[in-house]
Amino acid sequence: MKKLIALTLALAMCLSLVSFSAFADDTVKITILVDGTIPDQNNGRDAFEARWEELHPGFDLEIWQPDHSAYYTDMQQRMVSGNYPDVLILSSTYYADFARNGVLWDMTEAWENSKTKNSGRFTGDNVFEGLKIDGKLYGFAPTRGNGCVTYVKKAWLDAVGMEAPKTFDDYIKMCEAFVNNDPDGNGQADTYAISAAGFIGNEAPFINYLPEFYQDAYPYFVQQEDGTWIDGFLTDTMKAALERLRDAYAKGLIDPDTLTNSTAQARTKFYDDKFGVFTYWAGTWATNLKTNLEANGRSGELIALPPLEGVPAYFDRVPPVWAITNKCANPQLVFDTFIDTMLDGGDCQMLFTYGPENVYYSFEGGFHMLENLEKAGTNYTKFHIDPMLALASFAEGYYDPKEESVLPEAKAASALFNENSRLASIVPATEVMGEYNGQLTTLKNEMVANVIMGVKTYDQALADFQAAGGDIFSAAIVESLNALN
Amino acid sequence: MQKQAKVINNKKPLGPRIRKYWQFYLLFIPVLAFVIIFHYLPMYGIVYGFTEYKVGMTPKFVGLDQFRKLFGIVASDASEATKMLAARKSQPFWLAFQNTIVFSVIKLLLNTGFAVIISIFLNEMISTKFKKVTQTIIYLPHFMSWVVTASVFTLLLAVGQSGLVNNLRRSVGLEAVNFLAEPGQWKIWYYIINVWRETGWQTIIFMATLTSIDPGLYEAAAMDGAGRWKKMQYVTFPALGNTIITVLILNLAKIMNLFESVFVLQNDAVRNATNVLQTLVYYEAFNSGAVPDLGYSVAIGLFRSIVGLVLMLICNYASKKVRGRGIM
């Protein structure tokens, strides 16, 4: 009897395998590794996947999405264990290094022959030129990189009886008034003018949260007009920038917790009227800031400042790119199916821009974005592609809901940014950079923090920086960059 | 002890034992497989410590170069500039190594010390209800993630208006202090936060010991005229002694595993001074502006493991001396 049962079970198992394989069809699977720039499963990702597969019959989209903040750690772990996706999203740092080292598929030819490039709707040639590594293209950016603009609370300006500043001196006067003249009208001296998530950013363009102070200084490697490289951190412009920040910090204009603020903490303080000047992302974030202020019972009217006199322009960062790995079995097919349709001017672009219908937007009673599934009281503003940053318009005759979906403040902030921004460039990654730049960055950031908070004078901090080898690491990296010329 | 040793020496060879107790060995197979698959097979990764290896690229064997880099060793005929670069490159490594040991040992001593004191207080409590409530409250922080713990303390220690500690200082006329931005202050608060989070949990083991003390000993001490302090001195402390040593020894073996608690509390102003080996590896890997060389990270990890192994052997030896049996 036992033998009979065992035989039956074994037979059933074999049959189930046969039947499973019989049901397996010729579906082509495309695996993508993506960070939080594609909304997660709590925010309609499954509906997006289903719609994408509906638009691409015969393809199965498999999304690997680690936690946004652990994306690059996860990516490396997967790749070290040989678990490569077909497509992945990369920041400029990884893009440049992976491309140089043959990890990515060269899509130059595919791009030249692509429907998107030859559609007549594509407007991002300059962006794509900036993405080329040694003349070849390894990544596709559906949007510009975007950057930050400085927002000032209109209600605070009105309360202190001032106009939006145009020069740095006026800017400082406004900041002083925001600290000393009780702009929130609560009768207490409990406001700061400025706050941010750190004094210096962790990735290029580094200075985008405090541009009024950094002005023409740049703390990273910069290629000069003659093609040679320098470390902008060790220039007089950087010294002047740090001194401006130190003075403002000493006057109490900058939130003293800027050093330890996370981005979310800085935003929350802005919504809570703890400070009045916030440099943050242009475009749809203008709407997010406004609606969150209003949700807190504050005035949501914000003025986006054009760059002050002396500030060259805001930085348009190098956009993250979609790249195909060299382990992809059929890169041309993946390019044609996944990448070249992202800006197809039709249903797929609609999906990537506005998300799945009835989850992100609805046509009932006219086009409108729907309420955020996780944050009640706020509406979605986009899915993956910011409609104001897209590098291709919708096809003629296809309904583009941009006018209805993008609110005026977002349009205004975006327009101001586009008129007043400069494109950040990719700094090539060298072996020497890989060896010393981690340590150098730690030393630079420490010096910035110590000078601004008045722990050390610039000269003392520089001496410590040099004693720890900062200057020789910097020189070695500059030499390695110049050797590429 | 001699008897036990004799039994071991008279063991039958493995083959006959397996045949005789095959059912037990069969049950042991899943555990053995688990250990081999998840503990021993990944050790193959050690070989990357002897290579230059970036994600997506083929590893290149470089012998002991990664370790030379780690220790700042260069060929004697290398240029002065190369020697200088190597020396500076290895500086943070040694500082991080020192921090790993110092932070861990101080943390361990403080946590154990406070756990013992609190356990004794709890043991002396007469009201069972109050004791249970207190125990529950002090166990709770252990269940908070380090990220949440760091967020809470960053807020409490903030220099701005949200900082409770600095508001208290201001209210008594003292100046606000940026506790987490100055390495000396940071270290003090690091220990305080660790004690706050872990001490309660550690009291469990000491409470277990205390409750297992024979009440007759206290009664006898009372009959001999001992007061509360004398009872503690002659009954409680000796009973706890063996447990304290056991806890210290067991934890000593783990002192190289320090990452999360340090990482979440660091900021730009103190990072260099407070790095431990694992945070150093992290920043070397993710702040470089280039795809990290995993070979270098593995070399640091391997060094850490070797130090951990040596500590473990020392602890095992100490344990055998103190408790009569090893920890492995």
Side-chain angles (χ1 to χ4, degrees), chain A residues 84 97 101 257 435 437 439 467, chain B residues 56-57 88-89 159-160 288 291:
Chain A
Y84 281 72
D97 215 9
N101 287 290
D257 293 316
E435 192 146 318
N437 201 38
Q439 212 163 312
Chain B
M57 298 155 216
R88 295 287 184 268
K89 171 78 182 165
V159 194
S288 68
V291 178

Side-chain angles (χ1 to χ4, degrees), chain A residues 387-409:
Chain A
M388 282 173 297
L389 301 171
L391 290 176
S393 57
F394 279 88
E396 213 175 312
Y398 194 93
Y399 172 65
D400 178 2
K402 190 157 85 176
E403 286 305 313
E404 290 84 352
S405 67
V406 182
L407 295 170
E409 64 278 352

Side-chain angles (χ1 to χ4, degrees), chain B residues 29-229:
Chain B
I29 285 174
V31 179
L32 183 68
F34 178 87
V35 170
I36 289 172
I37 292 168
F38 293 106
H39 291 265
Y40 281 88
L41 288 184
M43 277 194 201
Y44 172 73
I46 288 171
V47 299
Y48 293 122
F50 303 92
T51 65
E52 195 179 290
Y53 179 29
K54 289 183 167 189
V55 170
M57 298 155 216
T58 312
K60 190 175 103 190
F61 182 75
V62 293
L64 293 172
D65 279 4
Q66 301 287 16
F67 294 92
R68 288 194 193 98
K69 202 191 293 178
L70 208 61
F71 303 132
I73 300 167
V74 285
S76 54
D77 57 349
S79 68
E80 278 308 308
T82 310
K83 283 180 183 167
M84 180 75 91
L85 262 174
R88 295 287 184 268
K89 171 78 182 165
S90 68
Q91 258 179 8
F93 168 74
W94 290 115
L95 180 60
F97 180 53
Q98 183 190 319
N99 281 343
T100 310
I101 303 281
V102 173
F103 288 2
S104 299
V105 170
I106 294 181
K107 194 163 75 95
L108 175 60
L109 292 176
L110 287 174
N111 286 359
T112 310
F114 277 101
V116 169
I117 293 167
I118 292 170
S119 302
I120 292 170
F121 282 145
L122 286 171
N123 196 47
E124 294 292 317
M125 278 182 188
I126 296 160
S127 163
T128 318
K129 200 173 175 184
F130 184 68
K131 185 173 160 181
K132 282 186 176 170
V133 170
T134 312
Q135 276 178 297
T136 308
I137 290 169
I138 63 172
Y139 295 163
L140 280 179
H142 175 79
F143 297 100
M144 280 170 80
S145 76
W146 268 110
V147 176
V148 176
T149 306
S151 303
V152 169
F153 275 91
T154 304
L155 272 178
L156 288 175
L157 301 174
V159 194
Q161 282 92 11
S162 58
L164 179 71
V165 177
N166 273 313
N167 282 343
L168 287 173
R169 287 178 64 89
R170 286 189 197 99
S171 67
V172 293
L174 293 171
E175 272 191 20
V177 177
N178 206 339
F179 293 108
L180 296 179
E182 196 275 310
Q185 290 284 347
W186 186 94
K187 287 173 189 169
I188 292 170
W189 280 97
Y190 174 74
Y191 298 130
I192 292 173
I193 294 166
N194 269 280
V195 167
W196 174 82
R197 189 173 182 273
E198 295 302 335
T199 300
W201 187 246
Q202 282 205 10
T203 58
I204 291 176
I205 196 162
F206 296 113
M207 285 299 290
T209 307
L210 289 171
T211 47
S212 68
I213 297 173
D214 182 359
L217 291 173
Y218 287 108
E219 285 164 19
M223 285 171 72
D224 289 342
R228 184 168 277 194
W229 172 246

Side-chain angles (χ1 to χ4, degrees), chain A residues 381-392:
Chain A
T381 50
K382 62 164 178 151
F383 190 74
H384 174 65
I385 296 174
D386 187 328
M388 282 173 297
L389 301 171
L391 290 176

Side-chain angles (χ1 to χ4, degrees), chain A residues 6-68:
Chain A
L7 200 68
T8 314
L9 283 171
L11 206 63
M13 203 170 161
C14 291
L15 281 173
S16 67
L17 283 173
V18 171
S19 58
F20 179 75
S21 56
F23 279 112
D25 53 20
D26 295 330
T27 304
V28 178
K29 184 188 276 188
I30 297 179
T31 50
I32 65 166
L33 179 65
V34 67
D35 56 16
T37 53
I38 289 275
D40 61 16
Q41 282 177 307
N42 296 327
N43 285 284
R45 198 190 80 188
D46 291 341
F48 161 80
E49 193 178 322
R51 175 67 177 145
W52 189 92
E53 285 168 359
E54 192 184 318
L55 293 170
H56 300 86
F59 287 89
D60 172 21
L61 186 68
E62 187 172 302
I63 303 174
W64 299 344
Q65 188 174 37
D67 183 58
H68 185 73

Side-chain angles (χ1 to χ4, degrees), chain A residues 234 436 439-440 443 462-477, chain B residues 84-85 87-89 91-92 272:
Chain A
L234 296 171
Y436 301 115
Q439 212 163 312
L440 179 60
L443 293 173
L462 183 65
D464 289 348
F465 174 83
Q466 288 167 337
D471 55 341
I472 57 171
F473 296 147
S474 171
I477 294 169
Chain B
M84 180 75 91
L85 262 174
R88 295 287 184 268
K89 171 78 182 165
Q91 258 179 8
N272 209 24

Side-chain angles (χ1 to χ4, degrees), chain A residues 201-223:
Chain A
N202 292 322
E203 58 176 16
F206 304 100
I207 57 167
N208 50 344
Y209 285 152
L210 293 163
E212 288 75 22
F213 294 96
Y214 281 107
Q215 297 183 4
D216 52 348
Y218 194 68
Y220 203 55
F221 302 98
V222 183
Q223 192 164 28

